[in-house]
């Protein structure tokens, strides 16, 4: 196993770090509210970062999303790449790739996903889609939604269709989400209904959002380091307190665990190796360790951490939202256990 990034992956990560660092400031995030930072999204697309994901692979996307997470930049990058670019490139027909990928590459089209499949959407005998998905990230910005029906079939739905309704939903996250209601819309099947497409997209999403969580945690920890080194109590920096040191060290180890498990899952995906168990492992660490890290980040800021306008609070909100997205720790652990049990009995992994 070698997670060393390629030259192209390193260049993409460095470009992302520069753009996010320059434009995703606390002031701009505050001004954006729950919406997308349109200027930042335009800059990312002009720099070719969404389009580059097809070349740098899932590991490259994880590296880019780490940089987004460090600054909690409000752009639909993860959703567009996972549910749009990578899903269509991997599972779409030649016609779909030629028609949909150009807009997803240049940012004129934005994708999101109604995932995971929980039986809320059914397909009628006439091929129309009915049902609702209670929570879809970045739905307001999306031009296309990748919908998983109750049988785990994948459908591309255009948000502008008259039978598609997006209802605003208040969540703990500072970024927008919506309730998707489908009332007889004619969706477009992704590809030719290949078996395994749903599982692949879900594993890809879990890996990518684990990478985003690794960045969120790294950004929270960086703020902890700055605060505890510069803040003094009883004439000495907070960082010299043994309790503070131990809590920060635990947070560092948790962050590294999220990162390395996401790297492994992404690397195996790019190498066309079995990665279902690794994606679930990354998702479990992103959930369980992620919430420990962002709680520690807020706690180690003391009273400052209770300030809802402080930048560290954004990391807390992002971390808590991501910890339950695509399945909380207990859910993915159950899935992992069933997968391993099936594998040990001679089933496919």
């Amino acid at each position: 196993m070698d997670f060393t990034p390629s030259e192209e992956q390193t260049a993409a990560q460095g470009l992302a770090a520069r753009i996010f660092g320059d434009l995703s400031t606390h002031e701009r995030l505050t001004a954006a509210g729950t919406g997308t930072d349109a200027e930042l999204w335009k800059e990312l697309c002009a720099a070719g970062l969404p389009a580059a994901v097809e070349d740098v692979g899932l590991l490259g996307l994880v590296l880019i999303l780490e940089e987004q997470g460090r600054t909690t930049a409000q752009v639909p990058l993860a959703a567009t790449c996972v549910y749009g670019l990578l899903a269509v490139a991997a599972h779409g027909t030649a016609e779909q790739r030629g028609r949909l990928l150009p807009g997803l590459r240049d940012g004129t089209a934005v994708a999101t996903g109604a995932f995971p499949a929980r039986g809320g959407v059914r397909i009628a005998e006439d091929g129309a889609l009915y049902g609702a998905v209670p929570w879809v990230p970045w739905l307001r910005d999306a031009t296309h939604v990748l919908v998983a029906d109750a049988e785990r079939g994948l459908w591309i739905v255009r948000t502008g269709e008259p039978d598609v309704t997006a209802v605003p939903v208040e969540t703990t996250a500072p970024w927008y989400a919506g309730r998707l209601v489908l009332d007889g819309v004619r969706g477009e099947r992704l590809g030719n209904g290949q078996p395994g497409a749903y599982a692949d997209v879900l594993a890809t999403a879990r890996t990518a959002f684990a990478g985003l969580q690794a960045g969120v945690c790294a950004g929270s920890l960086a703020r902890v380091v700055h605060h505890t080194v510069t803040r003094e109590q009883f004439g000495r920096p907070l960082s010299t307190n043994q309790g503070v040191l131990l809590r920060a060290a635990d947070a560092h180890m948790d962050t590294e665990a999220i990162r390395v498990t996401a790297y492994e899952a992404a690397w195996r995906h790019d190498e066309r190796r079995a990665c279902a168990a690794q994606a679930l492992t990354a998702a479990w660490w992103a959930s369980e360790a992620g919430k420990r890290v962002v709680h520690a980040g807020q706690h180690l800021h003391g009273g400052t951490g209770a300030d809802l306008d402080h930048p560290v609070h954004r990391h807390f909100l992002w971390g808590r939202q991501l910890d339950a997205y695509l399945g909380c720790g207990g859910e993915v652990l159950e899935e992992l256990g069933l997968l391993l049990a099936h594998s040990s009995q001679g089933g496919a992994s």
Side-chain angles (χ1 to χ4, degrees):
M1 246 179 277
D2 183 6
F3 305 151
T4 304
S6 66
E7 184 177 339
E8 292 78 10
Q9 289 168 339
T10 301
Q13 183 182 25
L15 179 60
R18 180 180 63 79
I19 294 174
F20 286 128
D22 288 347
L23 295 182
S24 186
T25 63
H26 178 59
E27 292 73 23
R28 288 174 62 92
L29 289 168
T30 301
T34 60
T36 295
D37 187 330
E39 183 179 342
L40 175 55
W41 180 241
K42 182 178 179 180
E43 184 71 21
L44 289 170
C45 294
L49 276 175
V53 170
E54 291 176 84
D55 297 319
V56 299
L58 184 54
L59 180 55
L61 176 59
V62 166
L63 294 170
I64 292 170
L65 292 177
E66 270 194 80
E67 302 306 325
Q68 179 186 357
R70 290 178 197 275
T71 60
T72 60
Q74 289 196 184
V75 286
L77 180 60
T80 292
C81 290
V82 168
Y83 301 119
L85 278 161
L86 294 181
V88 173
H91 303 290
T93 63
E95 189 278 331
Q96 286 174 330
R97 292 195 296 272
R99 172 166 48 87
L100 297 172
L101 287 178
L104 293 166
R105 289 171 184 145
D106 64 22
T108 55
V110 174
T112 188
F115 270 67
R118 299 189 188 277
V121 175
R122 61 180 179 84
I123 180 169
E125 292 182 0
D126 62 356
L129 295 170
Y130 292 86
V133 181
W135 185 87
V136 179
W138 302 107
L139 185 57
R140 179 171 57 192
D141 301 303
T143 56
H144 300 77
V145 184
L146 187 62
V147 177
D149 65 31
E151 303 301 320
R152 299 190 172 186
L154 298 181
W155 303 86
I156 301 169
V157 172
R158 293 181 177 273
T159 55
E161 295 291 331
D163 297 319
V164 178
T165 304
V167 182
V169 172
E170 291 289 336
T171 71
T172 56
W175 30 272
Y176 177 87
R179 182 172 184 264
L180 179 69
V181 181
L182 306 176
D183 187 19
V185 66
R186 297 282 179 171
E188 174 185 356
R189 182 179 286 277
L190 177 64
N192 298 311
Q194 309 96 314
Y198 168 81
D200 178 67
V201 173
L202 181 57
T204 299
R206 281 172 164 161
T207 302
F209 280 97
L212 184 60
Q213 181 77 304
V216 170
C217 292
S220 176
L221 192 56
R223 294 190 181 279
V224 165
V225 171
H226 175 76
H227 176 77
T228 57
V229 167
T230 57
R231 181 87 171 190
E232 291 191 356
Q233 190 176 57
F234 305 119
R236 59 193 180 102
L238 288 172
S239 59
T240 60
N241 183 295
Q242 187 178 38
V244 171
L245 285 171
L246 292 173
R247 189 82 184 277
D250 286 343
H252 170 74
M253 294 304 296
D254 273 337
T255 301
E256 289 302 300
I258 301 169
R259 177 182 288 118
V260 73
T261 52
Y263 284 4
E264 181 185 5
W267 177 82
R268 292 183 68 92
H269 179 277
D270 291 343
E271 293 293 315
R272 302 293 188 268
R273 302 190 183 195
C275 60
Q278 287 75 17
L280 285 166
T281 301
W284 183 84
W285 277 103
S287 176
E288 294 296 314
K291 60 189 172 191
R292 285 198 299 265
V293 173
V294 296
H295 272 272
Q298 199 165 24
H299 185 203
L300 290 175
H301 275 75
T304 307
D307 182 358
L308 301 185
D309 295 323
H310 194 280
V312 78
H313 190 65
R314 295 185 61 84
H315 291 272
F316 174 78
L317 293 178
W318 273 64
R320 286 314 311 256
Q321 194 69 40
L322 289 172
D323 98 64
Y325 181 50
L326 300 178
C328 65
E331 289 177 292
V332 297
L333 190 61
E334 181 182 17
E335 281 189 55
L336 179 58
L338 292 172
L339 178 66
L340 295 178
H342 178 64
S343 177
S344 68
Q345 294 168 5
S349 63

